[in-house]
Amino acid sequence: RTRRPPGPRRPYARHVAIPPSRRAFSRALTRWHATHRRDLVVRRTSDPWAILVAEVMSQQTQIERVGPAWERFIARWPDATSLANAGPQELLRAWAGLGYYARARNLHACARVVSDVHGGVFPQAEEALKRLPGIGDYTAAAIAAIAFARPAAPVDGNIVRVIARLFAVEAEMPRARPAIESLARMLTPAARPGDFAQALMDLGATICKPRRPRCGACPLQPDCDADGLGHPERFPVKAVKKPRPQLHGPAFWIADGSGAILLRRRPKDGLLGGMMEIPSTAWRTQRWPLTEALGAAPVQAEWRPLPGGVSHSFTHFNLELTVVAGTTFDTTAAGSIWCQADQLDQHALPTLMRKVAAHACSSLAAGSGENLTKAGKTFRASDPIDRKLPGSRRARPAGTGH
């Protein structure tokens, strides 16, 4: 297939975008999708509850990665009413490791509204779906199109990329998103809109990739403006990203005389709200001197900083935690519980805190504290507690899109 020579651009800038024939466009994409669709377990259903759970889980990650967690979740809570009857901590324990825990709380609130207000039956209209807690434009459109065959146009990261390249949209993201969503709605056929949306998602995930797109294998290449210009990777046009700030803090791995570990619950609102944590402090841009950090510890203990540290990337900032191990006989810390290390997985620990626990256990098992003493290394009160040390455990930022 030969590349279409550059010609008159569709007058996108004047908001009079002229699409290819909707019928021909849909037919070409549908023929391709019939033999190239991804076989994803989360796609083998038209149940709105199962679709909602899959879409919530796959926000900020790739949908193929959530299959096992989605299957366990649906087996445990097969409908909105079953989750509505579950306790919040039961849900958070099941959600542990998936990240973005506000999504779990919103899903719980949504389940309660569907159960209590709608009798366990999801509304079918896109606007009615958007009135449910935690359901935004994309999720409402996905449920309406895939579960109920309503003429809705869900636009995820993959579809943004396909549409931006098809029309060579010059505006920067996210300013271009409303126009891209309008173009997607214009292209969506009245028949089988859910299949059409999933075909666009699969095209973006497997052919129209962010880097090195396989344009020669794309069924839409003859109509693609970005391919005609010879620079498909330039689209969608991204604004210059601001660097994420770097925050610092200590984490206190505290054991009592029996070896139980101190945990406490984070405030209900805010980041990691309602989750259990290995005690820490406020996170800030300045590094924590040792004496200041220990002054914020929840109990008095015999302390020893462990080498290395734990690094984690949140959406809007990066975090470095240094772990300080302590032994105490003071078990009266307010709002805390004590848990044996081999039972930590019974609590709703977010990924960050699981990494802190893994780092502490491996460091202590290797005799890190004793090795520091034997090597003659000491920490002065003025030393930054989270200075860079070998052995730092780092997390890869989550991906996006389906």
Side-chain angles (χ1 to χ4, degrees):
R1 188 181 298 174
T2 58
R3 174 176 292 165
R4 180 172 57 83
R9 293 283 304 282
R10 296 189 182 95
Y12 169 76
R14 296 197 298 274
H15 304 286
V16 194
I18 304 172
S21 164
R22 285 174 58 172
R23 183 176 298 177
F25 181 97
S26 177
R27 188 163 52 242
L29 186 62
T30 301
R31 279 200 304 264
W32 173 85
H33 198 232
T35 55
H36 294 88
R37 68 184 305 145
R38 292 180 292 173
D39 183 20
L40 302 175
V41 64
V42 299
R43 293 270 185 84
R44 301 171 192 166
T45 180
S46 59
D47 175 63
W49 169 246
I51 293 169
L52 171 62
V53 173
E55 294 299 340
V56 171
M57 283 187 172
S58 62
Q59 292 169 12
Q60 303 297 323
T61 191
Q62 294 174 340
I63 197 167
E64 58 265 25
R65 296 181 179 178
V66 305
W70 177 83
E71 288 185 294
R72 290 192 299 270
F73 194 99
I74 294 300
R76 187 169 184 175
W77 295 298
D79 51 40
T81 300
S82 59
L83 182 64
N85 293 329
Q89 293 309 310
E90 182 184 4
L91 170 59
L92 288 176
R93 282 195 297 272
W95 200 269
L98 289 171
Y100 299 92
Y101 297 95
R103 297 178 304 176
R105 295 192 295 272
N106 288 336
L107 183 62
H108 200 194
C110 178
R112 287 178 171 173
V113 172
V114 171
S115 178
D116 297 343
V117 177
H118 298 279
V121 178
F122 273 81
Q124 296 188 17
E126 189 176 353
E127 290 302 317
L129 286 164
K130 285 193 282 190
R131 289 194 287 270
L132 296 174
I135 295 186
D137 292 347
Y138 165 75
T139 305
I143 295 172
I146 299 171
F148 302 119
R150 293 295 184 99
V155 178
D156 73 342
N158 286 315
I159 295 179
V160 164
R161 189 164 57 254
V162 171
I163 299 296
R165 288 174 177 172
L166 185 66
F167 292 93
V169 178
E170 295 284 0
E172 287 185 349
M173 296 293 294
R175 186 166 53 89
R177 188 175 185 98
I180 290 173
E181 291 175 348
S182 177
L183 292 168
R185 286 192 294 271
M186 180 174 55
L187 293 173
T188 299
R192 301 171 62 188
D195 290 344
F196 179 81
Q198 292 180 94
L200 279 178
M201 292 175 190
D202 286 356
L203 185 71
T206 62
I207 300 294
C208 195
K209 296 181 178 182
R211 296 180 181 86
R212 294 190 294 276
R214 298 164 52 207
C215 297
C218 179
L220 307 183
Q221 186 190 33
D223 293 302
C224 181
D225 276 353
D227 181 69
L229 293 171
H231 301 289
E233 290 188 38
R234 191 165 72 83
F235 301 94
V237 180
K238 296 181 179 179
V240 177
K241 286 187 178 181
K242 296 180 180 179
R244 281 185 286 193
Q246 179 69 58
L247 303 187
H248 304 270
F252 303 104
W253 180 260
I254 305 167
D256 69 3
S258 70
I261 305 302
L262 175 64
L263 300 177
R264 68 184 180 190
R265 191 175 308 284
R266 292 180 62 84
K268 181 178 179 181
D269 297 324
L271 191 64
L272 307 179
M275 305 291 289
M276 299 302 295
E277 72 166 353
I278 294 158
S280 183
T281 61
W283 302 331
R284 67 188 194 189
T285 56
Q286 301 89 356
R287 298 177 183 274
W288 284 78
L290 181 58
T291 50
E292 184 184 4
L294 296 184
V299 296
Q300 297 293 317
E302 297 180 5
W303 299 106
R304 50 177 172 174
L306 302 180
V310 172
S311 295
H312 193 78
S313 291
F314 291 98
T315 303
H316 300 297
F317 65 91
N318 296 321
L319 177 65
E320 293 266 357
L321 292 182
T322 290
V323 183
V324 185
T327 303
T328 186
F329 294 97
D330 177 6
T331 59
T332 61
S336 63
I337 64 171
W338 294 86
C339 174
Q340 293 297 324
D342 60 357
Q343 297 176 355
L344 289 174
D345 60 355
Q346 298 179 13
H347 297 274
L349 284 176
T351 299
L352 170 62
M353 296 303 163
R354 290 170 179 252
K355 289 163 57 181
V356 170
H359 179 69
C361 289
S362 62
S363 297
L364 292 170
S368 300
E370 292 79 4
N371 290 340
L372 282 174
T373 303
K374 291 176 184 177
K377 296 181 180 178
T378 59
F379 286 81
R380 298 184 301 273
S382 59
D383 282 342
I385 193 168
D386 44 359
R387 62 184 177 180
K388 301 282 185 174
L389 291 171
S392 178
R393 295 177 178 265
R394 295 191 174 272
R396 183 182 303 171
T400 59
H402 279 64

